[in-house]
Amino acid sequence: MEKLIEQFSYGLFFWQLIILLIVVVLLGKFAWKPIVNALEEREEGISSALAQAEKARLEMSRLVNENDQLLKDARAERDIILKEAKELKDKIVVEAKNQAQIEGAKLIELAKKEINDQKLKALAEVKGQVSTLSLEIARAVLTKEFENQGKQDELVADLLKDVKLN
Amino acid sequence: MSQNMVSLKRTLKYFAVILLSVAPFLSKAEQAHDASAAAPTESEKISAHIDHHLQDDYYFTFFADEEADVKYGFSLPVILIDNGLKVFMASEFDYGKKTVEKDGQFYALSHGKIYKTDAAGTLSYDDHHHITNAKPLDFSITKNVVGLLLTAVILFVLFIGLAKTYKKGANNLPKGAGRALEPLVLFVRDEMAIPNIGLSKYKQFMPYLLSIFFLILVLNLIGLTPLGFNVTGNISVTLCLALFTFFIIQFKANKDYWKHIFWMPGVPVPMKIVLAPIEVLGMFTKPFSLMLRLFANITAGHSVVMGLIAIVYLFKTDLTVGGSVGVSMILTLFIMFIELLVAFLQAFIFTMMSSLFIGMAVQDHHDEDHH
Amino acid sequence: MIPSIVGAGLIVIGGGLGLGKIGSSAMEAIARQPEAASKIQTAMIIIGALLEGLAFGALILGK
């Protein structure tokens, strides 16, 4: 302790005081303040940049999500449309088939009818012709037969016989 | 519990062993001292040399040839205030061999101090071999002042340069030495100022904390160069630094701090009365321990380094010149690395403790929550 | 009278024991909670410095 007090010197203390004051004041003004402020500014810049990047990342992921949703929706819509189209097609095909069948049936019906008609017509014609022909033949025969009286009587008798039988 | 007892017992045993082993050396040392009263031995010369190095000096000596009694270096200006300003070069003392006469007043240099004396240069001693002559007020540019000025210049060059790099924008990264300085500035801010003082108040103390951190760091480091500075190992310097912290604490302290000192909240009244003087004492022991810690660490470091270098001379005959140089080199190298660590650590601890004490004084205490 | 060098030795022993205790506790704490290592180290250095201040104070005042 004694040695320490002996070592103490006012001069050195004085110079140390002056130099420390100068260092604190001048360096404080020209170095520490700008350095500390710049470091703070830089840190703020970095943190704000990080925050912005985070924001951008969130936005990006939101957009990606949205896109995904959109794509999904579009896909679903496409599926629905395709399904609907298929259903429609099936329906149309079925309907067309039915229509065709009905149409075909109608046509067949008509054809049948026509055929029947024609047949009936033809038959009627044939019948007419046959009857005409038979009449002609009958007339011819009768004309021939009735050239003599005997035969006419005979025929009348025959006919009458038939009538009696009926 | 039993483990503690065992370790206590062991500790006591160690004490006994150490006491017994030290005792013979003590008597031996005294004998040696008696024997060598006439001519200084090698080891006494070395210890005188170390003492001389630890002291401030009016000369800047690089080499000394003791046999030829020639010193290579230069003397520094002496500035005395004693009935007016007196300025002269220390070389006029011729290393204490001559008295200097200025305006009818004679001055003598003895053991690194300037005393007022008469024309014959007589110095009177008291019983304890202390010089009783009056001392003039001495504001000389001594070796340590040169060291301080050099450090201040280094700090100005480094940090004004660093500040300049940020002028072009905060994102302009420093180059060269600034790259190492910027993390140190951040270290002071993030490890000391912010955790101890708090985010809201740290900024006003940053200039002081950065100044003392770098001042002590650079002073410690130039103390390790062969230039022979021992600035932070001088009590005047560390006292000044500690007083700065002390006054900053007292002037910046808030109401809570004074309340904690004089009327400790949350304890019974008798305790408050007992605690007040203890707290007042604590006010002064804090800077006192700051002062002593830095001084003692650096002084001890310088003594150890110089002592290890002295191995070269002390064991020259026992180990041969090569052997003693080798041993000294290895040990000094090892201690030098530790001293580099200490140089940094002491700057850190001084700044850390300063910010801790400042933080204790300025922080908003939440006593209601704690007590 | 006991020479002051013995007192210095006792101070150093006491300080050494204290530092050892601080160091060992800090090591244990760091081993237990490695994530808090930096905080523990800072606290360790502060307490070590306080102890050192005490020891140096005693050494220098006693000298």
Side-chain angles (χ1 to χ4, degrees):
Chain A
M1 193 66 194
E2 224 170 67
K3 231 176 169 181
L4 277 190
I5 292 167
E6 203 177 303
Q7 197 198 31
F8 180 80
S9 107
Y10 292 102
L12 189 55
F13 182 85
F14 167 78
W15 286 111
Q16 165 74 6
L17 193 77
I18 298 287
I19 289 166
L20 188 56
L21 273 175
I22 289 171
V23 164
V24 171
V25 172
L26 283 188
L27 270 188
K29 187 144 191 279
F30 295 112
W32 303 134
K33 252 195 197 121
I35 289 171
V36 170
N37 286 342
L39 288 175
E40 204 154 272
E41 205 176 297
R42 186 199 297 166
E43 263 158 29
E44 263 164 27
I46 288 169
S47 66
S48 78
L50 278 178
Q52 255 166 7
E54 180 70 9
K55 229 164 106 189
R57 203 181 60 82
L58 281 177
E59 183 73 6
M60 196 73 199
S61 74
R62 200 179 61 80
L63 277 178
V64 165
N65 270 351
E66 218 164 69
N67 269 358
D68 275 359
Q69 193 59 39
L70 270 178
L71 216 64
K72 227 163 125 190
D73 285 355
R75 223 170 255 153
E77 210 165 324
R78 189 198 64 185
D79 285 352
I80 288 167
I81 289 169
L82 272 178
K83 213 171 137 195
E84 268 175 7
K86 212 177 165 200
E87 269 170 10
L88 200 66
K89 183 197 82 179
D90 286 353
K91 214 167 120 193
I92 287 167
V93 166
V94 166
E95 251 170 34
K97 249 185 202 166
N98 284 349
Q99 195 76 16
Q101 259 172 353
I102 291 165
E103 240 12 61
K106 250 188 201 163
L107 277 177
I108 289 167
E109 201 75 8
L110 267 178
K112 270 185 186 163
K113 218 171 154 190
E114 188 75 24
I115 289 167
N116 230 15
D117 281 1
Q118 293 293 332
K119 197 176 83 185
L120 285 177
K121 237 181 188 169
L123 273 177
E125 211 166 297
V126 167
K127 260 183 192 166
Q129 269 181 355
V130 166
S131 63
T132 322
L133 218 64
S134 357
L135 278 177
E136 292 280 314
I137 294 165
R139 201 172 47 187
V141 168
L142 279 176
T143 327
K144 206 125 184 220
E145 282 286 318
F146 287 118
E147 272 171 357
N148 49 6
Q149 198 59 44
K151 273 210 183 163
Q152 272 184 12
D153 294 337
E154 215 173 304
L155 180 70
V156 172
D158 269 356
L159 280 171
L160 282 172
K161 219 172 27 185
D162 278 351
V163 169
K164 267 184 190 164
L165 278 171
N166 282 346
Chain B
M1 188 65 205
S2 63
Q3 209 186 344
N4 274 348
M5 287 299 289
V6 169
S7 74
L8 189 67
K9 226 183 215 173
R10 213 192 299 159
T11 312
L12 285 175
K13 250 188 225 166
Y14 280 140
F15 268 112
V17 169
I18 290 162
L19 277 177
L20 287 175
S21 56
V22 164
F25 284 111
L26 287 172
S27 53
K28 212 173 178 182
E30 271 167 29
Q31 280 167 14
H33 196 79
D34 288 340
S36 63
T41 61
E42 190 84 340
S43 69
E44 269 178 344
K45 262 200 257 172
I46 285 163
S47 97
H49 189 77
I50 292 173
D51 273 352
H52 183 246
H53 162 77
L54 293 177
Q55 296 292 320
D56 206 355
D57 203 355
Y58 295 97
Y59 299 89
F60 207 103
T61 314
F62 295 113
F63 312 104
D65 189 343
E66 272 183 33
E67 275 161 43
D69 203 13
V70 185
K71 289 181 182 171
Y72 300 93
F74 50 88
S75 65
L76 296 163
V78 176
I79 302 165
L80 300 177
I81 296 180
D82 183 33
N83 291 329
L85 194 69
K86 282 160 194 173
V87 182
F88 54 95
M89 291 307 280
S91 52
E92 289 184 36
F93 283 118
D94 196 17
Y95 301 99
K97 281 176 215 141
K98 285 183 193 156
T99 51
V100 175
E101 193 254 323
K102 290 281 155 192
D103 306 329
Q105 180 65 55
F106 293 92
Y107 300 103
L109 178 67
S110 173
H111 290 98
K113 295 268 175 195
I114 293 174
Y115 298 93
K116 286 195 215 179
T117 181
D118 54 15
T122 42
L123 293 168
S124 50
Y125 296 91
D126 64 6
D127 301 341
H128 300 285
H129 204 71
H130 292 311
I131 296 167
T132 52
N133 287 35
K135 283 189 225 168
L137 266 182
D138 183 1
F139 292 105
S140 309
I141 307 289
T142 55
K143 195 174 72 176
N144 285 348
V145 178
V146 172
L148 276 169
L149 289 169
L150 179 69
T151 306
V153 168
I154 291 173
L155 287 182
F156 273 99
V157 169
L158 286 179
F159 287 101
I160 293 205
L162 183 62
K164 250 181 214 158
T165 60
Y166 297 120
K167 264 194 189 142
K168 292 170 206 148
N171 287 329
N172 187 30
L173 292 178
K175 289 181 186 65
R179 281 211 184 152
L181 297 174
E182 193 194 292
L184 285 174
V185 173
L186 283 175
F187 177 71
V188 172
R189 194 191 67 177
D190 296 340
E191 299 291 322
M192 305 178 210
I194 291 178
N196 290 320
I197 301 175
L199 208 53
S200 54
K201 286 180 179 158
Y202 81 94
K203 238 180 163 180
Q204 55 177 319
F205 300 106
M206 279 305 278
Y208 174 67
L209 293 177
L210 284 166
S211 297
I212 55 166
F213 178 77
F214 286 105
L215 194 73
I216 294 172
L217 181 63
V218 176
L219 285 175
N220 285 349
L221 289 177
I222 65 165
L224 293 180
T225 59
L227 293 174
F229 291 114
N230 178 31
V231 188
T232 36
N234 192 296
I235 200 78
S236 318
V237 173
T238 59
L239 175 69
C240 182
L241 288 166
L243 277 180
F244 248 78
T245 299
F246 177 74
F247 283 118
I248 282 177
I249 292 169
Q250 309 316 320
F251 286 131
K252 289 282 179 182
N254 57 15
K255 231 170 37 197
D256 280 338
Y257 172 76
W258 296 111
K259 206 170 147 198
H260 264 80
I261 287 179
F262 292 112
W263 207 244
M264 178 73 87
V267 294
V269 173
M271 275 302 276
K272 287 183 200 232
I273 294 164
V274 174
L275 277 176
I278 296 174
E279 288 284 328
V280 170
L281 195 67
M283 236 164 82
F284 295 101
T285 53
K286 280 171 191 167
F288 187 73
S289 77
L290 274 181
M291 170 187 89
L292 277 189
R293 183 179 306 115
L294 181 58
F295 161 78
N297 265 294
I298 303 304
T299 305
H302 280 247
S303 307
V304 169
V305 170
M306 291 195 76
L308 289 176
I309 291 170
I311 287 178
V312 176
Y313 308 102
L314 281 176
F315 293 95
K316 205 158 47 184
T317 45
D318 294 340
L319 294 172
T320 72
V321 174
S324 61
V325 168
V327 169
S328 167
M329 279 268 273
I330 290 161
L331 292 176
T332 313
L333 193 68
F334 172 70
I335 284 294
M336 214 58 176
F337 277 114
I338 291 180
E339 283 307 306
L340 277 175
L341 176 71
V342 167
F344 182 79
L345 200 67
Q346 289 309 316
F348 166 68
I349 285 175
F350 198 100
T351 319
M352 184 82 186
M353 290 299 202
S354 294
S355 56
L356 192 71
F357 297 149
I358 291 171
M360 279 157 80
V362 301
Q363 246 167 14
D364 302 314
H365 296 279
H366 303 290
D367 301 309
E368 291 76 23
D369 305 339
H370 290 308
H371 296 294
Chain C
M1 274 300 284
I2 303 167
S4 65
I5 191 87
V6 177
L10 290 176
I11 292 164
V12 169
I13 290 166
L17 284 174
L19 275 177
K21 190 91 185 73
I22 294 166
S24 77
S25 315
M27 289 293 156
E28 270 171 34
I30 289 171
R32 209 170 293 146
Q33 276 181 294
E35 68 277 3
S38 63
K39 276 189 178 174
I40 293 168
Q41 272 166 359
T42 313
M44 179 183 83
I45 289 174
I46 290 175
I47 297 170
L50 287 173
L51 172 73
E52 195 190 43
L54 198 74
F56 274 132
L59 274 180
I60 287 163
L61 290 179
K63 208 175 165 188

